[in-house]
Amino acid sequence: GDSVTQMEGPVTLSEEAFLTINCTYTATGYPSLFWYVQYPGEGLQLLLKATKADDKGSNKGFEATYRKETTSFHLEKGSVQVSDSAVYFCALNQAGTALIFGKGTTLSVSS
Amino acid sequence: DGGITQSPKYLFRKEGQNVTLSCEQNLNHDAMYWYRQDPGQGLRLIYYSQIVNDFQKGDIAEGYSVSREKKESFPLTVTSAQKNPTAFYLCASSLLGGATNEKLFFGSGTQLSVL
């Protein structure tokens, strides 16, 4: 079945460092891909999405490009802030089904 | 403000007891979902509903039950058959539930613990 694999965390960075969180997927068809973020004690919020190959999703300085040839959707940010500390989830969605999530990657940014 | 409301925020279950988690949305969304979150395991789908009076099992439906009698409500019952219920439970909704590019809106979750 369809699945999402994320890099294991936690990821610990200093403020202004470059961030990459790897995400690869397995799916039949042409899924849409998402990154959601969860701040402590809260539900998830959509960070960005891409609906077809070569699309780039972006929001709040975060970017991810839908790479069909490598089945990847890696999350990047050029300069992280302390306020970016959260758990990040990669997810995919096929038509007629519910969202499938990866296991999440915890990011901790220190000043 | 439109959104999803989950209650209670914290819930404790005694051995052999059924408990019900509430989820209400005023977004006029057709589809609603229940996910279970455990540390290091991400989110796993319990049940989802794309229309009133209809719902489908997710990956880990055993020991849980749901109902969808009203569009805005999707309560989850954790039965005594669920032997390891301690987890963070998240409810979500989406506008239609059938499209691939739909955004999910999440509630703030309920932490269930066993006494």
Side-chain angles (χ1 to χ4, degrees), chain A residues 89-104:
Chain A
F89 291 91
C90 186
L92 71 81
N93 194 5
Q94 296 267 33
T97 66
L99 211 59
I100 297 171
F101 288 90
K103 292 187 176 182

Side-chain angles (χ1 to χ4, degrees), chain B residues 41-82:
Chain B
Q41 295 211 46
L43 275 70
R44 293 181 289 169
L45 182 67
I46 305 173
Y47 270 99
Y48 67 103
S49 167
Q50 294 183 319
I51 195 169
V52 173
N53 292 322
D54 189 40
F55 47 82
Q56 288 76 43
K57 292 182 179 181
D59 299 322
I60 56 165
E62 186 174 350
Y64 300 96
S65 66
V66 294
S67 63
R68 187 85 187 277
E69 297 176 1
K70 298 186 296 182
K71 186 175 185 177
E72 58 270 24
S73 179
F74 192 41
L76 174 74
T77 296
V78 184
T79 75
S80 57
Q82 172 50 246

